[in-house]
Amino acid sequence: MSFNATSSSLPTHAELNEAYFVECDKQDPLTCFRDQFELADDLIYLNGNSLGVLPTAAKARMQEVIATEWGEGLIRSWNTYSWIDLPQRIGAKLAKIVGAKEHEVIVSDSTSVNLFKLAAAAIKLNPGRTKIVTEPGNFPTDLYILNGVKNFIGADIEIVTVPSNEITQHIDENTALVCLTHVHYKSGTMLNMNVITKAAHEKGALMMWDLSHSTGAVPVNLNQAQADLAVGCGYKYLNGGPGAPAFLYVAEKHIKSLQQPLTGWFGHANAFAMSDEYEAASGIEKTLCGTTPVIAASALEVGVDIMSQVDFVVLREKSLSLSEHFIKLMAPLCEQYGFELATPLDPNHRGSQVSYTHPEGYAIIQALIHQNIIGDFRAPNILRFGFAPLYVQFMDLWNTVNTLENIMRNETWNRPEFMKRSKVT
Ligand SMILES: *Cc1c(COP(=O)(O)O)cnc(C)c1O
C-alpha cells in the first residue's frame, strides 16, 4: 500500500474496508503527534481548521504561567520570564513554519487587526495607487477590514473583487495591493502563491497573503514566493487555543519603510523611555500595538513548538492522502444523497479540508455532532471536514462516512432539534 496516494492509485471502493484503514494508521509516520493532544477516544474531530485541539503540554504550561510567572513573579516576570520578548520569540519559531526569516514574523493582535495594520501600511508603501484587489467570497473579516481601510485611509481607494482564477488579469498599474487567502475557508481551494505573487509584482503591486487555513496545514514558503506581507491565525491548525493571538509577516525589504496606523507603545523604538513622541521601532516590532496577552501567547507557543517538529513534506503527503481517501469514500453518498464536492479534485489546488454542499447541510452536521463526529457548517449550504494531519486518523474517515451513510439512509438528520440554529455555527 502506498502512503502517497492519489485518486488513480487508490484501491477500488470495495477494497476500502476497515482493515485497510487500520493498516493506513499503522503506517502513518505522524502517529506520534496524536499522543501529544487531548482527544477523547470516542470523539472524531474534523474541525481543527476552525479550532485546533488542546496540546497536553499546554495544560502544565498554563499552570506554570499562571501560578509561577503571574502568581509569584508578578510584574518582575516581564524580565525574569521574558514576557516582553514573547511576540518576537514565537514569531521566530513561526518563521520556519511559513518559510520566512526570523526577524520577518511577529505574534500580535488578531488576524483581523493585523490585516488592518498591514493593508493600511501597504497603501502607504505604494503611493499614488488606489486599487486593492481581492476575491468575492473571501473570509468575511478580510473583506470587512479592507473596506474599513478604504473608509478610513482614503476616499479614493477602491476595492475590486474578482474570482480568484481571474485575479491576475485584474492587477494593473493602479493596484496598490492584492490581498488573498491562500487556502479558502469554505471550499478548501489552495491558490498558487508563487504565480499570483509574481503577477502582482509584474504590475508593481504588493502581495499580502492570509495564511489562516494554511499555517500548520500545508507547506508555505513566503520567501520563496517573494511575498510582501502576510497574516495568519493562531487557533486553527497551530492549536494555540481559543482566541489565540495571531501573527504577521513583513518581508525584510519593506520593514524599514513600513508605517502602520496603530502606533501603540509596544511598537515604539523605546517603549519604556515613556516619551511623548512616537518613534517607530526599526524592526518588525514596529507592527506591535499594545501589551501582549501573555497567557494566551504562552499557550500558543506550546502549539507552535509541536508544529516546529513536523516535516512538512510528510505532513502534506498525509493530508492529501486523508482527503483523497475521504473523497473516494464519499463518492457513493454523492450519487445517492445529493452531496456535491465543493473542493478541487486536483490535489495541487487543495488545502487540508474537504467540503460538500447539501441543501440540508446544517441539520446533517448537527446529526453528525450528535454522534460525536465534529465537522462544521458554513452558510448557506457547505459541510466542512477539516483534516488536521497531526491528529486525524485514517479510521476517522471510515467511521465518519459510515455514520453519515446511516444518517442519510435513516433520515435521522430530519429532526427538529437538528434544525435549531445556535449563535455560533
Ligand atoms: C479564521 C480566519 C480569520 C480569523 O480572524 P480573527 O481576527 O482571528 O477572528 C481571518 N481570516 C481568515 C481567512 C480566516 O480563516
Side-chain angles (χ1 to χ4, degrees):
M1 181 186 60
S2 159
F3 192 72
N4 184 14
T6 58
S7 283
S8 50
S9 66
L10 289 193
T12 64
H13 192 269
E15 288 164 336
L16 293 178
N17 53 30
E18 188 166 342
Y20 172 87
F21 287 102
V22 167
E23 188 55 33
C24 285
D25 282 326
K26 273 197 198 142
Q27 295 191 18
D28 174 3
L30 297 177
T31 43
C32 53
F33 285 100
R34 186 177 159 91
D35 298 337
Q36 299 184 42
F37 295 99
E38 298 285 301
L39 273 164
D41 287 339
D42 61 350
L43 182 76
I44 295 179
Y45 195 68
L46 304 180
N47 217 344
N49 52 331
S50 213
L51 175 64
V53 299
L54 170 67
T56 303
K59 294 206 288 190
R61 179 71 186 123
M62 285 298 87
Q63 189 63 32
E64 182 179 57
V65 172
I66 290 169
T68 309
E69 298 189 9
W70 178 16
E72 292 170 18
L74 288 168
I75 196 133
R76 294 168 290 191
S77 294
W78 281 102
N79 292 312
T80 48
Y81 289 104
S82 299
W83 286 353
I84 196 69
D85 298 324
L86 274 169
Q88 296 90 324
R89 186 167 88 211
I90 308 170
K93 292 175 180 180
L94 273 167
K96 291 202 190 73
I97 295 169
V98 296
K101 296 174 200 75
E102 288 189 354
H103 58 277
E104 292 176 321
V105 181
I106 199 156
V107 162
S108 80
D109 299 313
S110 62
T111 308
S112 303
V113 175
N114 290 337
L115 276 164
F116 185 86
K117 291 186 293 192
L118 293 191
I123 302 289
K124 275 239 168 195
L125 275 174
N126 220 345
R129 294 177 175 232
T130 58
K131 257 170 73 172
I132 299 178
V133 177
T134 186
E135 70 166 318
N138 197 346
F139 193 84
T141 211
D142 297 55
L143 296 174
Y144 303 160
I145 291 285
L146 293 178
N147 269 295
V149 169
K150 167 189 150 80
N151 292 337
F152 267 86
I153 307 289
D156 56 349
I157 298 291
E158 181 194 2
I159 313 286
V160 179
T161 57
V162 274
S164 58
N165 58 351
E166 293 168 27
I167 284 273
T168 54
Q169 301 147 42
H170 288 83
I171 305 170
D172 61 19
E173 270 76 20
N174 192 26
T175 306
L177 175 69
V178 180
C179 181
L180 291 170
T181 300
H182 181 224
V183 175
H184 197 274
Y185 79 106
K186 268 192 196 172
S187 67
T189 303
M190 183 166 77
L191 300 179
N192 189 321
M193 185 179 280
N194 293 4
V195 166
I196 298 175
T197 304
K198 188 155 175 273
H201 289 169
E202 273 163 9
K203 303 287 181 179
L206 294 170
M207 185 74 225
M208 171 148 69
W209 289 102
D210 186 329
L211 303 176
S212 292
H213 284 271
S214 312
T215 319
V218 297
V220 174
N221 197 330
L222 290 168
N223 281 170
Q224 189 194 62
Q226 298 184 18
D228 301 287
L229 305 163
V231 297
C233 187
Y235 52 79
K236 293 174 180 163
Y237 292 94
L238 287 173
N239 306 302
F247 68 91
L248 66 83
Y249 154 93
V250 178
E252 190 170 45
K253 65 176 177 195
H254 297 306
I255 293 179
K256 193 154 175 262
S257 45
L258 182 127
Q259 288 176 274
Q260 61 101 353
L262 301 183
T263 48
W265 69 316
F266 265 58
H268 195 279
N270 185 1
F272 289 90
M274 298 294 180
S275 153
D276 281 359
E277 312 310 325
Y278 182 80
E279 185 199 333
S282 57
I284 187 89
E285 295 78 12
K286 67 165 63 170
T287 60
L288 297 179
C289 180
T291 307
T292 304
V294 170
I295 299 173
S298 303
L300 170 65
E301 189 168 28
V302 178
V304 171
D305 281 339
I306 295 174
M307 200 55 74
S308 300
Q309 300 158 23
V310 175
D311 177 338
F312 271 77
V313 173
V314 177
L315 176 124
R316 179 67 172 156
E317 266 180 26
K318 178 175 173 188
S319 160
L320 285 179
S321 187
L322 287 167
S323 54
E324 295 285 347
H325 280 94
F326 190 73
I327 290 169
K328 184 121 187 181
L329 281 176
M330 280 291 290
L333 280 74
C334 291
E335 236 166 73
Q336 223 174 334
Y337 302 112
F339 292 99
E340 277 183 43
L341 183 64
T343 301
L345 266 178
D346 180 348
N348 294 317
H349 298 154
R350 194 187 314 138
S352 202
Q353 77 178 54
V354 177
S355 305
Y356 292 87
T357 58
H358 192 285
E360 299 298 341
Y362 183 81
I364 294 166
I365 285 289
Q366 302 319 305
L368 268 176
I369 294 173
H370 186 70
Q371 303 211 34
N372 264 353
I373 298 175
I374 304 186
D376 76 2
F377 171 82
R378 284 291 174 261
N381 60 355
I382 296 257
L383 300 89
R384 294 195 305 179
F385 301 95
F387 303 116
L390 295 197
Y391 51 80
V392 171
Q393 312 177 105
F394 286 86
M395 263 312 279
D396 295 340
L397 311 176
W398 173 252
N399 288 328
T400 298
V401 177
N402 280 339
T403 306
L404 188 56
E405 212 278 325
N406 252 303
I407 288 170
M408 298 314 293
R409 185 160 24 87
N410 301 319
E411 293 193 21
T412 39
W413 56 267
N414 196 2
R415 287 200 219 150
E417 69 261 38
F418 297 148
M419 311 283 171
K420 214 174 126 256
R421 305 247 170 161
S422 307
K423 213 166 174 183
V424 177
T425 65

